[in-house]
């Protein structure tokens, strides 16, 4: 399963910039739908496209592995 680390990236940005970062701010800056961001944050197993991840990498100035990771589901 792929686990998105959007919440961790938001917390890191808030710490580094010393201010609150909202989903609405990210949605506006990236052109992504607020609901898509909310699902990435809250819905286990949510799937999204490469364009979404590309925009988030641009916003957070990070690499793709900073935003997502593979987590074994235990069936392997």
């Amino acid at each position: 399963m792929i686990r998105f680390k959007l919440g961790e990236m938001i917390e890191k940005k808030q710490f580094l910039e010393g201010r609150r970062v909202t989903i609405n701010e990210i949605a506006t800056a990236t052109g992504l739908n607020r609901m898509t961001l909310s699902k990435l944050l809250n819905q286990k197993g949510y799937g999204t496209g490469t364009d979404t991840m590309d925009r988030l990498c641009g916003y957070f100035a990070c690499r793709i592995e900073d935003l997502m990771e593979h987590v074994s589901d235990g069936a392997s």
Side-chain angles (χ1 to χ4, degrees), residues 29-45:
T30 60
L32 296 171
N33 187 298
R34 187 188 168 289
M35 185 57 72
T36 298
L37 296 170
S38 182
K39 286 179 180 179
L40 284 171
L41 273 170
N42 301 309
Q43 194 174 49
K44 185 177 179 180

Side-chain angles (χ1 to χ4, degrees), residues 34-61:
R34 187 188 168 289
M35 185 57 72
T36 298
L37 296 170
S38 182
K39 286 179 180 179
L40 284 171
L41 273 170
N42 301 309
Q43 194 174 49
K44 185 177 179 180
Y46 179 74
T48 191
T50 55
D51 182 58
T52 299
M53 299 312 293
D54 182 53
R55 290 180 190 203
L56 289 172
C57 283
Y59 177 77
F60 289 107

